[in-house]
Amino acid sequence: MVTSADIDKVVDGQTVPGEFAKTVANNGDQIAIRWRKPDDSWGEWTYKDYADKACRVAAGLEALGLSKGDRALLMMRNRPEFHIADLGALLCGATPISIYNSSAPEQIEYLVGHSKGKIAIVEDLDFLERFLKVRSELPNLEQIVVIDDPDGLAPDDVLSFSSLLESQPVDLHAAVQKSEPRDLCTVIYTSGTTGPPKGVALSHYNVCWTAESYRQTIKIDPTGFRVLSYLPMAHIAERMVGHYFGLCSASEVTTCPDPTLLGQYLPQVRPQSFFGVPRVWEKFYAGVNAALSADPEKQQKFAEAVEAAKPIDEVRRQGKELSEEQRTTFEFLDEVAFKPLKQMIGLDQVKFALTGAAPIGVEILEWFRAIGVPLTEIYGMSENTGPLTWDPYTPKIGTVGRAMPGIELKLLEDGEVCAKAGNVFDGYLDDPEKTAEALDSEGWLHTGDIGVLDDEGYLKIVDRKKELIITAGGKNISPANLENALKSYPLIGQAAVIGDRRPYISALIVLDPEVAPAWAKAKGLSASTVQELASDPDVLAEIEANVADANKRFSQVEQIKRWTLLADEWLPDSEELTPTMKLKRRGVNARYAAEIEALYDKTSPSPA
């Protein structure tokens, strides 16, 4: 069994710039970063190119006064400049901090002020304008740099990113010496489902420790692995997968500037490692099933193939060798049914398919695994630099795997999951009170999640400690389990379960904006928009059938008694959803207060 001390020995003295320098020395000609140009051709940098440009950015930032201990704010989409800007700041001994692109001027004022940001690098004039609106309130912010300003419209005191690249590069090996393992590597600001965001302070040690635990988990050399980076770099999952793991392991990272372009990028990149939040997998699943529904006979045959493949995957999950018959059966199913689909969506070469950041429905997980996409759940949080548990080879469906190498787990009496390891942060930036709530005196991280550990060490997450519904009758109920059950039906895009201190469970339901119109067309309905479909009798009948079917999986007290179908679409990074599509329950409850009260008004007719 690998202990935290074992990994400590491996990462002793390591920093992110130091690991990057090793990658450049050993894999300098390996493609590092790729991006699609406006003419649809592909641009790319090798690791030598990456190093040269990062060293030029570092020189430019140093000339602006950025030095050890300073902080630089980055606000940009997934594009190649992020990587050299982030690493360039690290090569100054400074701390780069990415913030969400949706941040309003008031949020920017808080984040820059709280982090004491000295320099900001923004993507375009839209982002720049948001900074300029609050610049007078940011005395620590000395310089703003803009990447895209083709017409030169930025104020004279705003510098161009291209000017940084014109600098004579710093010496990489000399710059590496400016960072030490316990220095601040980045700050991840929580997306703020409640209250102002907290700044999760992560050190170089935390990042390098996590990267080593990951390598020991996969047990193969990831050099050259194709990775598609599309989630916000302000989120710990993308920061680790699309940035730190890449530069530490010589991955080939393709940047995708907008998650809505994922369907276009995946077939061209064909990643070997791919991380998606549950909504990404749910949309793939719903889209495929909606397309198949246009041909009932084909849909039936595909469903039969999936059912035939599930027992074969179960053998694989147990770590056993397939029999000759099982191997031949799967090869046949893959050739005639699964492979064309995987090639079409770009997942035919994926070796590690991960889902995390929120729960995913068992049906969806089993479906992907049956068709040969090795989807597994990974669990963790920003406060532990991303992952805590993951079992890529022998997963148990319904769990988030076992503790990764070097990580200790325990459950408190109330079931709260606690962890101790080298990836656990030292605290929230300048917030000792919140730090004391998350870290106890023995260094255990209190996750706020309620879990169950089985005899083999597999962890099942029941729910967030603060999100458990306690009904008026005193019953503890997990809303996430009910919401996942609802979202397993193609028509349902999002769901929010209500019931805390209420006499029964109810739900707000939102149609999937991509699946619903296709479903309606296949049924010959005249309604076509989400707004029209939300009141269509056939749609309401289908949702009623879905809710009734989902209720069969739960005890009577847990079942959804009433629901309403909303004529809205919930978008990422909105009042209802975080950037990674977690429910903002407070926002949902506030916006739909009237609809919720109607669900508990005995005089209101049932939406069903």
Side-chain angles (χ1 to χ4, degrees), residues 245-271:
F245 285 156
L247 62 85
C248 288
S249 303
S251 297
E252 179 184 300
V253 178
T254 298
T255 61
C256 173
D258 191 324
T260 62
L261 300 174
L262 193 57
Q264 299 176 28
Y265 273 67
L266 272 171
Q268 298 181 59
V269 176
R270 300 170 81 188

Side-chain angles (χ1 to χ4, degrees), residues 137-193:
E137 305 300 320
L138 301 170
N140 291 318
L141 187 64
E142 297 179 5
Q143 185 66 61
I144 303 178
V145 180
V146 64
I147 297 174
D148 292 335
D149 180 21
D151 299 320
L153 299 178
D156 292 340
D157 61 347
V158 173
L159 294 182
S160 69
F161 190 75
S162 60
S163 68
L164 301 183
L165 289 169
E166 292 169 359
S167 307
Q168 287 298 312
V170 300
D171 179 77
L172 176 60
H173 297 287
V176 164
Q177 304 306 313
K178 295 179 182 178
S179 297
E180 299 178 8
R182 291 290 180 176
D183 286 347
L184 192 60
C185 185
T186 194
V187 178
I188 299 291
Y189 278 95
T190 59
S191 50
T193 54

Side-chain angles (χ1 to χ4, degrees), residues 20 23-25 27-32 45-55 172:
F20 176 76
T23 297
V24 175
N27 300 280
D29 295 325
Q30 160 74 34
I31 295 172
W45 294 333
T46 65
Y47 273 93
K48 286 180 181 176
D49 297 329
Y50 189 172
D52 176 72
K53 293 180 184 300
C55 287
L172 176 60

